[in-house]
Amino acid sequence: MERKGRAHPEWVMMSDRGVSAAVIARLNDVNPEYVREYVRRRGEALRGGPAPTRLALHDRPRPRPSNWPDPDRRWRARLEELDRFLQEHQRRPHARRSDDSRQTGSEWSLAHWLITQRSHHRAERLPLHRERGLDRVLPSWRLDDRSIENESNWRLRLVELLRFLHDHGRFPQHTDMPGDQEKSLAVWVYAQQSAYRAGTLEPERLQWLDRQVPRWRPVREQEERQGSSNSTP
């Protein structure tokens, strides 16, 4: 009597991967015709569609040789180099024009490698696993040195404004004295108000100003906010 045994859904997967019915039958001690019939009847329902097209032997992708070059090997080496630099110097690498040493391994070379990663990211050509690697080593890698410097200067100006408010109890005003610190602060406050009205003030800076300097907004904006708060039940 011919043995049928018990069919398994794995037969469909094995058949789709190129395993012949004869091999599947021999592994499961069943008749090859039973395997073919099961794959034909149940295959489409299990896989959710028709069977994939079988590739001829010469069209099948060959396994990658063990000595195949790793495209990320050099990139990972540069990332490790960046990590060591950060640990040693506690700062980012900088590319100064006066640097004489620009060969691989120098600070100049490492800084330009980081610039290249940002360029690839902006062009959406940086693979996700590389983004994650950079996030792990340097979370702020997406920001260039100029952006970081501008943000630092902005926060320093905010501290100066807070100090002025504490010392004088009022906002800085425009004066006619050249080089006057109060005039410089007044111009800075006006620039923030102008950026807010134009909708170009960054959300994080807006939060900083609202939290630290509640009355910094233009007068009309303050009146509107005050009116809306009074009308709230």
Side-chain angles (χ1 to χ4, degrees):
M1 183 176 178
E2 186 178 69
R3 295 184 59 184
K4 282 193 173 182
R6 183 177 179 182
H8 296 277
E10 290 84 355
W11 293 0
V12 176
M13 180 184 68
M14 295 171 69
S15 177
D16 290 348
R17 296 290 179 86
V19 181
S20 67
V23 173
I24 298 174
R26 187 166 62 251
L27 292 173
N28 293 272
D29 194 20
V30 296
N31 189 286
E33 289 300 325
Y34 177 53
V35 175
R36 293 190 187 94
E37 180 65 16
Y38 178 83
V39 172
R40 184 185 65 80
R41 287 187 297 103
R42 295 287 298 153
E44 188 166 343
L46 290 173
R47 73 172 70 92
T53 303
R54 292 287 184 87
L55 295 176
L57 182 61
H58 60 275
D59 290 330
R60 295 177 185 176
R62 292 184 298 175
R64 177 176 293 183
S66 58
N67 61 347
W68 190 271
D70 182 1
D72 279 336
R73 181 179 59 83
R74 293 179 60 185
W75 189 90
R76 287 197 302 269
R78 296 293 271 171
L79 184 65
E80 293 172 0
E81 184 182 345
L82 174 63
D83 192 17
R84 289 193 299 270
F85 184 94
L86 295 171
Q87 295 294 332
E88 179 180 354
H89 299 279
Q90 298 298 311
R91 63 172 177 82
R92 290 176 164 216
H94 299 304
R96 302 179 181 86
R97 294 184 178 180
S98 58
D99 287 344
D100 296 329
S101 178
R102 299 189 176 187
Q103 69 271 16
T104 301
S106 65
E107 180 177 354
W108 185 93
S109 174
L110 191 57
H112 271 268
W113 178 81
L114 198 55
I115 292 172
T116 301
Q117 307 313 303
R118 285 195 291 268
S119 299
H120 288 171
H121 178 259
R122 286 192 295 268
E124 298 182 352
R125 291 189 290 110
L126 188 67
L128 181 59
H129 69 278
R130 293 189 176 184
E131 287 188 39
R132 291 173 176 171
L134 286 163
D135 287 338
R136 175 179 53 82
V137 173
L138 182 62
S140 62
W141 66 272
R142 293 175 179 82
L143 298 175
D144 56 26
D145 291 345
R146 180 172 297 179
S147 298
I148 293 177
E149 182 180 0
N150 290 341
E151 187 63 25
S152 298
N153 291 336
W154 188 91
R155 296 195 182 191
L156 286 175
R157 296 296 278 173
L158 177 61
V159 171
E160 293 174 2
L161 174 62
L162 292 173
R163 186 180 296 118
F164 185 93
L165 292 171
H166 179 269
D167 294 342
H168 301 276
R170 60 175 176 82
F171 275 84
Q173 300 175 356
H174 288 271
T175 62
D176 296 330
M177 298 179 60
D180 184 61
Q181 179 70 12
E182 181 176 357
K183 179 180 179 180
S184 176
L185 280 175
V187 170
W188 183 82
V189 173
Y190 179 77
Q192 309 313 305
Q193 293 173 339
S194 299
Y196 172 75
R197 284 192 292 263
T200 58
L201 186 64
E202 297 178 9
E204 184 178 359
R205 293 184 175 183
L206 177 60
Q207 292 178 4
W208 273 94
L209 287 166
D210 283 342
R211 186 165 57 246
Q212 301 293 335
V213 193
R215 295 181 294 111
W216 74 274
R217 298 196 186 204
V219 176
R220 181 178 300 177
E221 172 69 18
Q222 293 183 35
E223 293 175 350
E224 292 177 356
R225 295 187 70 191
Q226 184 66 29
S228 61
S229 62
N230 292 337
S231 61
T232 302

